Coordinates of all heavy atoms in Angstrom, one line a residue:
M1 N 0.6 -17.1 11.6 CA 0.2 -16.9 13.0 C -1.1 -16.1 13.0 O -1.2 -15.0 12.4 CB 1.3 -16.1 13.8 CG 1.0 -15.9 15.2 SD 2.4 -15.3 16.2 CE 2.1 -13.5 16.1
N2 N -2.0 -16.6 13.8 CA -3.3 -15.9 13.9 C -3.2 -15.0 15.1 O -3.2 -15.4 16.3 CB -4.4 -16.9 14.0 CG -5.8 -16.3 14.1 OD1 -5.9 -15.1 14.3 ND2 -6.8 -17.1 13.9
I3 N -3.2 -13.7 14.9 CA -3.1 -12.7 16.0 C -4.2 -12.8 17.0 O -4.0 -12.5 18.2 CB -2.9 -11.3 15.4 CG1 -2.4 -10.3 16.5 CG2 -4.3 -10.7 15.0 CD1 -0.9 -10.5 16.8
Q4 N -5.4 -13.3 16.6 CA -6.5 -13.5 17.6 C -6.2 -14.5 18.6 O -6.7 -14.5 19.8 CB -7.7 -13.8 16.8 CG -8.2 -12.6 16.0 CD -9.3 -13.0 15.0 OE1 -9.5 -14.2 14.7 NE2 -10.0 -12.0 14.5
N5 N -5.3 -15.5 18.3 CA -5.0 -16.5 19.2 C -3.6 -16.3 19.8 O -3.1 -17.2 20.6 CB -5.0 -17.9 18.5 CG -6.4 -18.3 18.1 OD1 -7.4 -17.9 18.7 ND2 -6.5 -19.0 17.0
A6 N -3.0 -15.2 19.5 CA -1.6 -14.9 20.0 C -1.6 -14.6 21.4 O -2.6 -14.0 22.0 CB -1.0 -13.9 19.1
V7 N -0.5 -14.8 22.1 CA -0.3 -14.4 23.5 C 1.0 -13.6 23.6 O 2.0 -14.0 23.0 CB -0.2 -15.7 24.3 CG1 0.1 -15.4 25.8 CG2 -1.5 -16.5 24.2
L8 N 0.9 -12.6 24.3 CA 2.1 -11.8 24.6 C 2.2 -11.7 26.2 O 1.3 -11.2 26.8 CB 2.0 -10.4 24.0 CG 3.2 -9.5 24.2 CD1 4.5 -10.1 23.5 CD2 3.0 -8.1 23.6
L9 N 3.3 -12.2 26.7 CA 3.5 -12.2 28.2 C 4.6 -11.3 28.6 O 5.6 -11.0 27.8 CB 3.8 -13.7 28.6 CG 2.8 -14.7 28.2 CD1 3.3 -16.1 28.3 CD2 1.5 -14.5 28.9
Y10 N 4.5 -10.8 29.8 CA 5.6 -10.0 30.4 C 6.1 -10.7 31.7 O 5.5 -10.6 32.7 CB 5.1 -8.6 30.7 CG 6.1 -7.6 31.1 CD1 7.2 -7.3 30.3 CD2 6.1 -7.1 32.4 CE1 8.2 -6.4 30.7 CE2 7.1 -6.2 32.8 CZ 8.1 -5.9 32.0 OH 9.1 -5.0 32.4
Y11 N 7.1 -11.4 31.5 CA 7.6 -12.2 32.6 C 8.0 -11.5 33.9 O 7.8 -12.0 35.0 CB 8.8 -13.1 32.1 CG 8.4 -14.1 31.2 CD1 8.6 -14.0 29.8 CD2 7.6 -15.3 31.6 CE1 8.2 -15.0 28.9 CE2 7.2 -16.2 30.7 CZ 7.5 -16.1 29.4 OH 7.1 -17.0 28.5
P12 N 8.6 -10.3 33.8 CA 9.0 -9.6 35.1 C 7.9 -9.4 36.0 O 8.0 -9.6 37.2 CB 9.6 -8.3 34.6 CG 10.1 -8.6 33.3 CD 9.2 -9.5 32.6
S13 N 6.7 -9.1 35.5 CA 5.5 -8.9 36.4 C 4.6 -10.1 36.4 O 3.7 -10.2 37.3 CB 4.8 -7.7 36.0 OG 4.2 -7.8 34.7
D14 N 4.8 -11.1 35.6 CA 3.9 -12.3 35.5 C 4.6 -13.5 35.2 O 4.5 -14.1 34.1 CB 2.8 -12.0 34.4 CG 1.8 -13.1 34.3 OD1 1.5 -13.7 35.3 OD2 1.2 -13.2 33.2
P15 N 5.5 -14.0 36.1 CA 6.3 -15.2 35.8 C 5.5 -16.5 35.7 O 6.0 -17.4 35.1 CB 7.2 -15.3 37.0 CG 6.5 -14.5 38.1 CD 5.7 -13.4 37.4
L16 N 4.2 -16.5 36.1 CA 3.4 -17.7 36.0 C 2.6 -17.7 34.7 O 1.8 -18.6 34.5 CB 2.5 -17.8 37.2 CG 3.2 -18.0 38.5 CD1 2.2 -18.1 39.7 CD2 4.1 -19.2 38.5
E17 N 2.8 -16.7 33.9 CA 2.2 -16.6 32.5 C 0.6 -16.6 32.6 O 0.0 -17.4 31.9 CB 2.7 -17.7 31.6 CG 4.1 -17.7 31.4 CD 4.6 -18.8 30.6 OE1 3.8 -19.5 30.0 OE2 5.9 -19.0 30.5
T18 N 0.1 -15.8 33.5 CA -1.4 -15.8 33.6 C -2.1 -14.6 32.9 O -3.3 -14.7 32.8 CB -1.7 -15.7 35.1 OG1 -1.2 -14.6 35.7 CG2 -1.2 -17.0 35.8
V19 N -1.4 -13.6 32.5 CA -2.0 -12.4 32.0 C -1.5 -12.2 30.5 O -0.3 -12.0 30.3 CB -1.7 -11.1 32.8 CG1 -2.3 -9.9 32.2 CG2 -2.1 -11.3 34.2
N20 N -2.4 -12.2 29.6 CA -2.1 -11.9 28.2 C -2.1 -10.4 28.0 O -3.2 -9.7 28.1 CB -3.0 -12.6 27.2 CG -2.7 -12.4 25.8 OD1 -1.7 -11.8 25.4 ND2 -3.5 -13.0 24.9
V21 N -1.0 -9.7 27.7 CA -0.9 -8.3 27.6 C -0.9 -7.8 26.1 O -0.6 -6.7 25.8 CB 0.4 -7.7 28.3 CG1 0.3 -8.0 29.8 CG2 1.6 -8.3 27.7
I22 N -1.3 -8.7 25.2 CA -1.2 -8.4 23.8 C -2.1 -7.2 23.4 O -1.7 -6.4 22.5 CB -1.5 -9.6 22.9 CG1 -1.0 -9.4 21.5 CG2 -3.0 -9.9 22.9 CD1 -0.9 -10.6 20.7
T23 N -3.2 -7.0 24.0 CA -4.1 -5.9 23.6 C -3.5 -4.6 24.0 O -3.8 -3.5 23.4 CB -5.5 -6.1 24.2 OG1 -5.4 -6.1 25.6 CG2 -6.2 -7.3 23.7
G24 N -2.7 -4.5 25.0 CA -2.1 -3.3 25.4 C -0.8 -2.9 24.7 O -0.2 -1.8 24.9
H25 N -0.4 -3.8 23.8 CA 0.9 -3.6 23.1 C 0.7 -4.0 21.6 O 1.4 -4.9 21.1 CB 2.0 -4.4 23.7 CG 2.2 -4.1 25.2 ND1 3.0 -3.0 25.5 CD2 1.8 -4.6 26.3 CE1 3.0 -2.9 26.9 NE2 2.2 -3.9 27.3
P26 N -0.2 -3.4 20.9 CA -0.5 -3.8 19.5 C 0.7 -3.6 18.5 O 0.9 -4.4 17.6 CB -1.6 -2.9 19.1 CG -1.6 -1.8 20.0 CD -1.0 -2.3 21.3
Q27 N 1.5 -2.6 18.8 CA 2.7 -2.4 17.9 C 3.7 -3.5 18.1 O 4.3 -4.0 17.1 CB 3.3 -1.0 18.1 CG 2.5 0.1 17.6 CD 3.1 1.5 17.8 OE1 3.9 1.6 18.8 NE2 2.7 2.4 17.0
E28 N 4.0 -3.9 19.3 CA 4.9 -4.9 19.6 C 4.4 -6.3 19.1 O 5.1 -7.1 18.5 CB 5.3 -5.0 21.1 CG 6.3 -6.0 21.4 CD 7.7 -5.7 20.9 OE1 7.9 -4.6 20.3 OE2 8.5 -6.6 21.0
A29 N 3.1 -6.5 19.2 CA 2.5 -7.7 18.7 C 2.6 -7.8 17.2 O 2.9 -8.9 16.7 CB 1.0 -7.8 19.1
A30 N 2.4 -6.7 16.5 CA 2.5 -6.7 15.1 C 4.0 -6.9 14.6 O 4.3 -7.6 13.7 CB 2.0 -5.4 14.5
R31 N 4.9 -6.3 15.4 CA 6.3 -6.5 15.0 C 6.7 -7.9 15.2 O 7.4 -8.5 14.3 CB 7.2 -5.6 15.9 CG 8.7 -5.7 15.6 CD 9.5 -4.9 16.6 NE 9.6 -5.7 17.9 CZ 10.4 -6.7 18.1 NH1 11.2 -7.2 17.1 NH2 10.5 -7.3 19.3
L32 N 6.3 -8.5 16.3 CA 6.6 -9.9 16.5 C 6.0 -10.9 15.5 O 6.5 -11.9 15.1 CB 6.3 -10.3 18.0 CG 7.1 -9.7 19.1 CD1 6.5 -9.9 20.4 CD2 8.5 -10.2 19.0
Q33 N 4.7 -10.5 15.1 CA 4.0 -11.3 14.1 C 4.8 -11.3 12.8 O 5.0 -12.3 12.1 CB 2.6 -10.8 13.9 CG 1.9 -11.6 12.8 CD 0.5 -11.2 12.6 OE1 0.0 -10.2 13.2 NE2 -0.3 -11.9 11.8
N34 N 5.3 -10.1 12.4 CA 6.1 -9.9 11.2 C 7.4 -10.8 11.3 O 7.7 -11.5 10.3 CB 6.4 -8.5 11.0 CG 7.1 -8.2 9.7 OD1 7.0 -9.0 8.7 ND2 7.8 -7.1 9.6
V35 N 8.1 -10.7 12.4 CA 9.3 -11.5 12.6 C 9.0 -13.0 12.4 O 9.7 -13.8 11.8 CB 9.9 -11.2 13.9 CG1 11.1 -12.2 14.2 CG2 10.5 -9.8 13.9
T36 N 7.9 -13.4 13.1 CA 7.5 -14.8 13.1 C 7.1 -15.3 11.7 O 7.5 -16.4 11.2 CB 6.3 -15.1 14.0 OG1 6.7 -14.7 15.3 CG2 5.9 -16.5 14.0
E37 N 6.4 -14.5 10.9 CA 6.1 -14.8 9.5 C 7.3 -15.0 8.6 O 7.4 -15.9 7.8 CB 5.1 -13.8 9.0 CG 3.7 -13.9 9.6 CD 2.8 -12.8 9.2 OE1 3.2 -11.9 8.5 OE2 1.6 -12.9 9.6
K38 N 8.3 -14.0 8.8 CA 9.5 -14.1 8.1 C 10.3 -15.4 8.4 O 10.8 -16.1 7.5 CB 10.4 -12.9 8.3 CG 9.9 -11.7 7.6 CD 10.8 -10.5 7.9 CE 10.3 -9.2 7.3 NZ 11.1 -8.1 7.6
F39 N 10.3 -15.7 9.7 CA 11.0 -16.9 10.1 C 10.3 -18.2 9.6 O 11.0 -19.1 9.1 CB 11.0 -17.0 11.7 CG 11.7 -18.2 12.2 CD1 13.1 -18.2 12.3 CD2 11.0 -19.3 12.6 CE1 13.8 -19.4 12.7 CE2 11.7 -20.4 13.1 CZ 13.1 -20.5 13.1
D40 N 9.0 -18.2 9.6 CA 8.2 -19.4 9.1 C 8.4 -19.6 7.6 O 8.3 -20.7 7.1 CB 6.8 -19.2 9.5 CG 6.5 -19.5 11.0 OD1 7.4 -20.0 11.7 OD2 5.3 -19.1 11.4
A41 N 8.7 -18.5 6.9 CA 8.8 -18.6 5.5 C 10.2 -19.0 5.0 O 10.4 -19.3 3.8 CB 8.4 -17.2 4.8
M42 N 11.2 -19.0 5.9 CA 12.5 -19.4 5.6 C 12.6 -20.8 5.1 O 12.0 -21.7 5.6 CB 13.5 -19.2 6.8 CG 13.6 -17.7 7.2 SD 14.5 -17.5 8.7 CE 16.0 -18.4 8.5
E43 N 13.5 -21.0 4.1 CA 13.8 -22.4 3.7 C 15.3 -22.6 3.8 O 16.1 -21.7 3.5 CB 13.4 -22.5 2.2 CG 12.0 -22.4 1.9 CD 11.2 -23.7 2.3 OE1 11.8 -24.7 2.3 OE2 10.0 -23.6 2.6
P44 N 15.7 -23.8 4.3 CA 17.1 -24.1 4.5 C 17.8 -24.2 3.1 O 17.2 -24.6 2.1 CB 17.1 -25.4 5.2 CG 15.8 -26.0 4.9 CD 14.8 -24.9 4.7
D45 N 19.1 -23.8 3.1 CA 19.9 -23.9 1.9 C 20.1 -25.4 1.5 O 20.1 -25.8 0.4 CB 21.2 -23.2 2.0 CG 21.0 -21.7 2.1 OD1 20.0 -21.2 1.6 OD2 21.9 -21.0 2.7
L46 N 20.3 -26.2 2.6 CA 20.6 -27.6 2.4 C 19.4 -28.4 2.9 O 19.0 -28.3 4.1 CB 21.8 -28.0 3.2 CG 22.2 -29.4 3.1 CD1 22.6 -29.9 1.7 CD2 23.4 -29.7 4.0
K47 N 18.7 -29.1 2.0 CA 17.6 -29.9 2.4 C 18.0 -31.2 3.0 O 19.0 -31.8 2.6 CB 16.7 -30.2 1.1 CG 16.2 -29.1 0.4 CD 15.0 -28.5 1.0 CE 14.4 -27.4 0.2 NZ 13.3 -26.7 0.7
V48 N 17.4 -31.6 4.1 CA 17.7 -32.8 4.8 C 16.8 -33.9 4.2 O 15.6 -33.7 4.0 CB 17.4 -32.7 6.3 CG1 17.7 -34.0 7.0 CG2 18.3 -31.6 6.8
A49 N 17.4 -35.0 3.9 CA 16.7 -36.2 3.3 C 15.7 -36.7 4.3 O 16.0 -36.7 5.5 CB 17.7 -37.2 2.9
P50 N 14.6 -37.2 3.8 CA 13.6 -37.8 4.8 C 14.2 -39.0 5.5 O 15.1 -39.7 5.0 CB 12.5 -38.3 3.9 CG 12.6 -37.5 2.6 CD 14.1 -37.2 2.5
F51 N 13.7 -39.2 6.7 CA 14.2 -40.4 7.5 C 14.1 -41.6 6.7 O 13.1 -41.9 6.0 CB 13.4 -40.5 8.8 CG 13.9 -41.6 9.7 CD1 15.0 -41.4 10.5 CD2 13.2 -42.8 9.8 CE1 15.4 -42.5 11.3 CE2 13.6 -43.8 10.6 CZ 14.7 -43.6 11.4
N52 N 15.2 -42.5 6.8 CA 15.3 -43.8 6.1 C 15.6 -43.7 4.6 O 15.8 -44.7 4.0 CB 14.0 -44.6 6.3 CG 14.1 -45.5 7.6 OD1 15.1 -45.6 8.2 ND2 13.0 -46.0 8.0
E53 N 15.7 -42.5 4.1 CA 16.0 -42.4 2.6 C 17.5 -42.8 2.5 O 18.3 -42.4 3.2 CB 15.9 -41.0 2.1 CG 16.1 -40.9 0.6 CD 15.7 -39.5 0.1 OE1 14.6 -39.1 0.2 OE2 16.6 -38.9 -0.5
G54 N 17.7 -43.7 1.5 CA 19.1 -44.2 1.3 C 19.4 -45.4 2.1 O 20.5 -45.9 2.0
R55 N 18.5 -45.9 2.9 CA 18.8 -47.0 3.8 C 18.9 -48.3 3.0 O 19.7 -49.2 3.3 CB 17.8 -47.1 4.9 CG 18.0 -48.2 5.9 CD 17.0 -48.1 7.0 NE 17.3 -49.2 8.0 CZ 16.7 -49.4 9.1 NH1 15.7 -48.6 9.4 NH2 17.0 -50.4 9.9
K56 N 18.1 -48.5 2.0 CA 18.1 -49.7 1.3 C 19.4 -49.9 0.6 O 19.8 -49.0 -0.2 CB 16.9 -49.7 0.3 CG 16.8 -51.0 -0.5 CD 15.6 -50.9 -1.4 CE 15.4 -52.3 -2.1 NZ 14.3 -52.3 -3.1
G57 N 20.0 -51.0 0.8 CA 21.3 -51.3 0.2 C 22.5 -50.7 0.9 O 23.6 -50.9 0.5
F58 N 22.3 -50.0 2.0 CA 23.4 -49.3 2.7 C 24.2 -50.4 3.5 O 23.6 -51.2 4.1 CB 22.9 -48.2 3.6 CG 24.0 -47.7 4.5 CD1 24.9 -46.7 4.0 CD2 24.1 -48.0 5.8 CE1 25.9 -46.2 4.7 CE2 25.1 -47.5 6.6 CZ 26.0 -46.6 6.1
V59 N 25.5 -50.3 3.3 CA 26.4 -51.1 4.1 C 27.3 -50.2 4.9 O 28.0 -49.4 4.3 CB 27.1 -52.1 3.2 CG1 28.1 -53.0 4.0 CG2 26.2 -53.0 2.4
A60 N 27.3 -50.4 6.2 CA 28.2 -49.6 7.0 C 29.7 -49.9 6.7 O 30.0 -51.1 6.5 CB 27.9 -49.8 8.5
P61 N 30.6 -48.9 6.7 CA 32.0 -49.2 6.5 C 32.6 -50.0 7.7 O 32.1 -49.9 8.8 CB 32.6 -47.9 6.4 CG 31.7 -46.9 7.0 CD 30.3 -47.5 6.9
H62 N 33.6 -50.8 7.4 CA 34.2 -51.6 8.4 C 35.3 -50.7 9.0 O 36.0 -50.0 8.4 CB 34.9 -52.9 7.8 CG 33.8 -53.8 7.3 ND1 33.1 -54.7 8.1 CD2 33.4 -54.1 6.1 CE1 32.3 -55.4 7.4 NE2 32.4 -55.0 6.1
E63 N 35.6 -50.9 10.3 CA 36.6 -50.1 11.0 C 38.0 -50.8 10.8 O 38.2 -51.9 10.6 CB 36.3 -50.0 12.5 CG 35.1 -49.2 12.8 CD 34.9 -49.0 14.2 OE1 35.8 -49.2 15.1 OE2 33.8 -48.5 14.6

């Protein structure tokens, strides 16, 4: 996440999302950036196969 392009909004006073308050809350912005970077770095334990993988030769079971 590039903090220069980041947006921090405060919905109670700005429900239309018109005011970026990130410069007034640098500690909260840094904390959220840290959380976001950790989340983005997560890898699932179980990898999902790409779409259509295993389709060739597949025959659906009969009911």
Side-chain angles (χ1 to χ4, degrees):
M1 180 170 94
N2 184 347
I3 197 73
Q4 294 167 341
N5 295 328
V7 176
L8 182 62
L9 304 167
Y10 186 63
Y11 291 105
S13 64
D14 184 25
L16 298 178
E17 302 177 10
T18 59
V19 179
N20 185 0
V21 297
I22 199 163
T23 56
H25 302 278
Q27 290 178 334
E28 184 65 9
R31 185 188 72 79
L32 291 170
Q33 181 179 3
N34 187 23
V35 170
T36 302
E37 288 171 355
K38 287 180 182 178
F39 181 82
D40 287 346
M42 291 172 52
E43 292 287 332
D45 292 335
L46 178 62
K47 302 279 184 183
V48 177
F51 181 76
N52 272 345
E53 186 172 301
R55 183 175 180 176
K56 185 176 181 181
F58 174 77
V59 177
H62 296 282
E63 291 185 17

